[in-house]
Amino acid sequence: MTRLMNINITQLKDIQTPCYLYDMKLLADTLAAIQGETAGHDNYHVHYAVKANANPAILQAIAAAGFGADCVSGGEIEAALRAGFKAEDIAFAGVGKADWEIQLALEQGIGMFNVESTEELEVINELATAMNKTARVSFRINPNVGAHTHAHITTGKAENKFGIDMEDMVMVIRKTETMPLITFTGLHFHIGSQLLVMDDFVALCSRVNELQDILDSEGIRVPNINVGGGLGIDYDEPDAHPIPNFRAYFDTFKQGLRLREGQQLHFELGRAMVGQMGSLLTRVLYVKHGKQKQFVIVDAGFTDLIRPALYGAHHKIENCTATTKDTVVYDVVGPICESSDVFAKDLELPETHRGDLLVLRSAGAYGETMASCYNCRSLPNVKTI
Ligand SMILES: *Cc1c(COP(=O)(O)O)cnc(C)c1O
């Protein structure tokens, strides 16, 4: 009998596809693993990056476990508050915050704005003054450390649109001293995503230490350091590594960062918290025997899971209902009218037939949240178990 994680596939026989399947037990185990690694460090605060998966059931589970939220839009702030995250545990990041989003965040009294430019600081100051509300502000500093990952998901290099140049750090902090309703609360960094080797985080720690030394010499106190997210997951072997190596991750910061007395350390994990607990189920519509290739055409497309089309990402694909071990090499493609709608090329699968149920693994992060209605398609179904 085929099992998918802890689920018996026969239970899914009649499921309406395409459908995201969320394993809430694995989510709970993942959250517990993070809590295990941060236990005894009362100054560590883990915020969940809502953009990875904003499904209400998932947000509620993460909020109930006591995590904070990292939001990048007004809609995400609203979703986080609805799910039960406390306003003071919400950080609001993003290069392009609209006025209404800043006003919403001020009205709700969120924990901190992660500010990405002096221009943004000035707008927050204007809006806070007009509302007579205090804004707690951290600056996202571009540490210029290169994350060894896909170019589209590297964010910490000088050529990226994110963050404030290191040379301007003291200047922007000084600027807040002239703004009565702006409270400088800390420094924020985020170097990229899907990082599996710790080297880039080690480099980030050294850079944070250097910047802290500069601020010490300027007499500037930094209450909060936020090192962002980016810890990756094993897309190739999800069953071997259903829970990421949180020990190695947190140890890197425990060893690498020289925190000052009373300083709070914040993390913003997205993919590592929810990536492995999600799978995309899809049915085979046709097996097309082309001249050069065999195509498995499934009912899910890039409107349901765009990572392969957008980043060339690979998700492990399994046939849950195959009846033979004899394999055939296929291209697995979706129904969307774009040639980029391909989930896998030259993939060896057990001989596959119309009606078979396939699963794309490790689809809990940046899957459902990036779904679209292109081609007038419906959004994917969701089932939590
Ligand atoms: C996307 C994002 C994260 C989460 O990234 P992951 O790679 O999913 O951990 C954290 N912080 C900020 C500012 C982000 O934009």
Side-chain angles (χ1 to χ4, degrees):
M1 196 184 315
T2 311
R3 292 183 77 84
L4 172 61
M5 298 175 285
N6 61 357
I7 307 147
N8 182 340
I9 281 300
T10 52
Q11 278 172 259
L12 303 172
K13 204 163 71 320
D14 301 318
I15 201 159
Q16 282 284 333
T17 53
C19 182
Y20 277 98
L21 188 66
Y22 295 139
D23 179 345
M24 300 306 275
K25 168 76 167 58
L26 180 55
L27 175 61
D29 291 347
T30 306
L31 301 181
I34 295 172
Q35 285 165 332
E37 294 306 328
T38 54
H41 294 266
D42 290 344
N43 60 330
Y44 283 22
H45 309 272
V46 179
H47 303 256
Y48 168 59
V50 171
K51 75 177 189 284
N53 190 325
N55 184 282
I58 288 165
L59 292 184
Q60 282 161 27
I62 296 173
F67 291 89
D70 166 49
C71 298
V72 293
S73 72
E76 284 192 359
I77 293 173
E78 288 167 338
L81 290 170
R82 265 199 308 276
F85 287 96
K86 292 202 216 88
E88 68 254 37
D89 296 336
I90 294 178
F92 181 20
V95 284
K97 299 179 184 76
D99 291 13
W100 76 266
E101 296 176 305
I102 295 169
Q103 286 159 337
L104 170 75
L106 288 168
E107 198 58 59
Q108 296 292 336
I110 62 151
M112 64 180 82
F113 288 86
N114 290 330
V115 170
E116 307 221 10
S117 63
T118 38
E119 293 79 3
E120 182 191 333
L121 174 67
E122 276 155 18
V123 172
I124 293 175
N125 182 43
E126 257 170 51
L127 297 174
T129 306
M131 293 168 73
N132 194 29
K133 297 261 184 200
T134 302
R136 285 172 293 277
V137 159
S138 279
F139 291 108
R140 176 164 179 177
I141 305 297
N142 190 332
N144 202 13
V145 296
H148 300 103
T149 179
H150 191 279
H152 291 179
I153 47 181
T154 305
T155 58
K157 305 255 282 182
E159 68 263 28
N160 287 122
K161 68 178 174 181
F162 300 101
I164 292 169
D165 286 340
M166 285 179 290
E167 306 84 78
D168 297 333
M169 173 182 69
V170 173
M171 180 272 292
V172 286
I173 297 172
R174 291 275 178 235
K175 223 179 171 86
T176 63
E177 291 166 3
T178 65
M179 300 174 165
L181 289 171
I182 300 286
T183 308
F184 168 67
T185 57
L187 301 180
H188 173 229
F189 305 88
H190 176 66
I191 54 171
S193 204
Q194 184 52 18
L195 306 175
L196 287 167
V197 287
M198 293 300 121
D199 307 17
D200 289 317
F201 294 121
V202 171
L204 173 62
C205 288
S206 323
R207 186 50 56 81
V208 173
N209 291 338
E210 278 171 36
L211 295 177
Q212 289 237 75
D213 289 341
I214 296 174
L215 294 178
D216 280 350
S217 69
E218 294 277 338
I220 295 170
R221 214 181 75 78
V222 185
N224 297 282
I225 298 287
N226 182 334
V227 291
L231 178 63
I233 61 171
D234 189 345
Y235 283 98
D236 298 326
E237 296 294 339
D239 293 314
H241 302 111
I243 296 179
N245 192 347
F246 291 118
R247 174 152 306 169
Y249 175 71
F250 287 108
D251 278 353
T252 301
F253 293 98
K254 284 174 196 170
Q255 287 159 20
L257 274 184
R258 283 187 281 112
L259 290 183
R260 307 303 194 252
E261 182 75 33
Q263 216 164 36
Q264 305 295 303
L265 180 59
H266 301 258
F267 302 88
E268 299 169 335
L269 295 172
R271 189 190 312 272
M273 287 170 83
V274 296
Q276 297 291 37
M277 63 88 213
S279 299
L280 177 61
L281 288 166
T282 181
R283 269 206 184 77
V284 176
L285 297 173
Y286 305 99
V287 178
K288 174 172 165 178
H289 302 282
K291 279 224 164 57
Q292 321 252 326
K293 289 200 150 195
Q294 312 260 48
F295 296 96
V296 169
I297 303 172
V298 295
D299 64 2
F302 73 48
T303 53
D304 306 294
L305 178 64
I306 202 173
R307 298 189 64 258
L310 191 59
Y311 310 122
H314 294 280
H315 288 262
K316 185 171 186 187
I317 301 177
E318 293 164 322
N319 184 330
C320 307
T321 46
T323 49
T324 168
K325 286 202 161 48
D326 297 340
T327 61
V328 179
V329 173
Y330 299 106
D331 280 11
V332 179
V333 303
I336 315 288
C337 297
E338 299 282 343
S339 26
S340 59
D341 192 26
V342 175
F343 288 124
K345 286 203 160 141
D346 301 320
L347 177 71
E348 205 174 318
L349 280 179
E351 192 175 2
T352 293
H353 304 279
R354 170 173 167 82
D356 281 354
L357 197 57
L358 301 196
V359 60
L360 287 97
R361 302 291 304 278
S362 314
Y366 308 107
E368 189 196 342
T369 39
M370 287 194 175
S372 75
C373 295
Y374 181 50
N375 284 189
C376 288
R377 283 166 60 83
S378 303
L379 291 174
N381 295 310
V382 173
K383 185 178 169 66
T384 54
I385 43 140

